[in-house]
Amino acid sequence: MNLAQFQRRGYVKDATPIEFLPNFSKALDNKVNIYIKRDDLLPGTAGGNKTRKLDFCIADAVAKGSDTIITCGAVQSNHCRLTLSWAVKEGLDCYLVLEERVKNSYTPQASGNNFLFQLLGVKGITVVSGGSNMMEEMEKIAEKLKAEGRKPYIIPGGASNALGALGYVSCMEEIMNQMFTQGLNFDHIVVPSGSAGTHAGIIAGMIGNNINIPVTGIGVNRPKAVQQEAVHKLANQTLDLIGVEQKVPAEKVIAFDDYVGPGYSLPTDAMVEAVKLLARSEGILLDPVYSGKAMSGLIDLVKKDYFKKGSNVLFLHTGGSPALYAYLDTFRK
Ligand SMILES: *Cc1c(COP(=O)(O)O)cnc(C)c1O
């Protein structure tokens, strides 16, 4: 696959580390060897997976002569924080539309990512109620800005369109390269699955490169069937964009919904345990909304012998630790 045909801004210069987690693996009785891909260490304010996608999406915005970025997310959105961060770096204005997926969850004084929206100098925040049509809300703002003579560019939630998903096609190729040069051989990859671009990009990278490592997605929001369909559709659109004729077999897309708990962004006991276990065994911070729940899934799957004994399992750490500071009471309990 030729990803060089697409413009990038060069936000991702070096491969993120892949680390073995000996203490964490031991805490799970050494049933499997758990490794972690440190995308939490990507560049951009406080790191995280959106940087890979924005590398492509903001390149498109810049190529089109845009001077303002509009994007959307939940009230503690890591995607909004990173989009704002890269907009700042590029000298672009940035407006955010925040969806109150949990009623009355937006507080202007909140810590975590919300604090960083202010610190990084967001130009405007519009809060809308859960279930709103986010694209329409962003278009309203774009129309207003156009009337003022601005050139806005809309990036969809999570930068999860085919262009953004290229970032994770590239990550899959990066992982293959690291496996080869570092003598690693993964039997299984576990990824968080939210707005779907990460999971879809990894799957597209697998299919497009004829790699046959099973990928298990851990959903954080939608029911299994709905999430799998979203990932499947986006993975095919991504292959299409690259110019690959192959299609993704539906059975390659697995996104469990057993670890969502009461709903998106709402804590579960297993998430709290997973965050504490990784922090206290390896000194690595997960987040309460995505990677913490995904890791709670991995832990449960290890306990249930979902992975073959002695196999090498790679967990994709997508970042998000600033959100921890909006959940102090959850972790102090
Ligand atoms: C956005 C996000 C995800 C999910 O990635 P998607 O591409 O939206 O599925 C996972 N972890 C963190 C920390 C995120 O911010």
Side-chain angles (χ1 to χ4, degrees):
M1 287 193 294
N2 177 17
L3 295 183
Q5 64 184 303
F6 301 99
Q7 297 183 20
R8 285 194 304 128
R9 295 301 287 169
Y11 301 157
V12 185
K13 292 198 171 63
D14 304 306
T16 57
I18 291 178
E19 296 166 2
F20 177 48
L21 301 176
N23 307 324
F24 188 79
S25 301
K26 193 168 167 222
L28 300 176
D29 300 327
N30 284 324
K31 281 183 162 183
V32 296
N33 306 307
I34 302 168
Y35 290 75
I36 195 163
K37 171 77 170 158
R38 299 293 306 272
D39 269 14
D40 57 316
L41 300 180
L42 279 164
T45 307
N49 64 339
K50 303 309 177 310
T51 286
R52 287 194 193 269
K53 308 191 211 177
L54 292 167
D55 203 359
F56 290 92
C57 293
I58 295 187
D60 189 44
V62 170
K64 293 191 166 127
S66 315
D67 57 18
T68 304
I69 304 287
I70 303 169
T71 197
C72 67
V75 295
Q76 279 290 338
S77 167
N78 300 301
H79 163 71
C80 286
R81 181 237 312 150
L82 277 167
T83 303
L84 172 58
S85 165
W86 289 113
V88 165
K89 186 88 175 157
E90 298 283 3
L92 307 169
D93 284 353
C94 182
Y95 290 80
L96 302 174
V97 181
L98 302 181
E99 181 188 5
E100 272 193 321
R101 293 183 194 172
V102 178
K103 226 177 165 180
N104 298 322
S105 56
Y106 178 74
T107 344
Q109 318 85 284
S111 179
N113 284 309
N114 180 73
F115 167 73
L116 296 176
F117 300 158
Q118 306 299 338
L119 185 65
L120 291 163
V122 67
K123 277 284 181 292
I125 289 180
T126 308
V127 181
V128 300
S129 55
S132 299
N133 183 328
M134 298 307 279
M135 194 45 84
E136 269 176 23
E137 296 294 337
M138 291 192 287
E139 270 158 9
K140 275 190 225 163
I141 294 170
E143 287 313 314
K144 225 176 104 207
L145 288 166
K146 276 188 213 160
E148 293 165 12
R150 310 286 306 195
K151 290 185 175 157
Y153 182 97
I154 295 176
I155 296 180
S160 281
N161 51 15
L163 193 61
L166 293 177
Y168 273 88
V169 174
S170 152
C171 178
M172 192 57 235
E173 295 187 344
E174 184 177 301
I175 291 169
M176 290 314 295
N177 240 321
Q178 287 174 301
M179 287 171 67
F180 181 71
T181 55
Q182 297 172 29
L184 301 167
N185 201 3
F186 296 119
D187 302 296
H188 213 112
I189 300 184
V190 175
V191 302
S193 199
S195 64
T198 302
H199 190 178
I202 291 282
I203 296 280
M206 287 275 183
I207 300 297
N209 288 301
N210 286 312
I211 306 161
N212 214 354
I213 303 173
V215 176
T216 296
I218 309 288
V220 296
N221 190 7
R222 294 179 277 203
K224 187 169 188 273
V226 177
Q227 183 66 11
Q228 288 179 172
E229 200 189 313
V231 173
H232 187 223
K233 186 170 163 212
L234 183 55
N236 276 329
Q237 287 170 344
T238 307
L239 287 175
D240 215 42
L241 177 66
I242 302 168
V244 175
E245 278 173 24
Q246 263 162 293
K247 294 275 171 274
V248 176
E251 69 270 15
K252 296 271 178 197
V253 182
I254 296 165
F256 291 124
D257 61 6
D258 311 67
Y259 309 101
V260 177
Y264 174 82
S265 80
L266 298 173
T268 62
D269 290 346
M271 176 280 290
V272 172
E273 265 172 52
V275 170
K276 285 184 177 170
L277 184 59
L278 190 68
R280 293 171 186 186
S281 62
E282 303 283 351
I284 297 173
L285 298 180
L286 296 166
D287 83 278
V289 182
Y290 297 94
S291 55
K293 282 189 180 170
M295 190 60 104
S296 77
L298 185 151
I299 292 170
D300 185 59
L301 293 171
V302 169
K303 288 183 178 163
K304 285 180 176 157
D305 296 317
Y306 175 78
F307 309 107
K308 222 174 65 213
K309 211 169 171 3
S311 58
N312 298 319
V313 178
L314 180 68
F315 178 79
L316 176 62
H317 188 348
T318 44
S321 69
L324 285 172
Y325 308 104
Y327 285 76
L328 298 181
D329 293 342
T330 301
F331 288 93
R332 281 173 178 158
K333 258 196 290 198

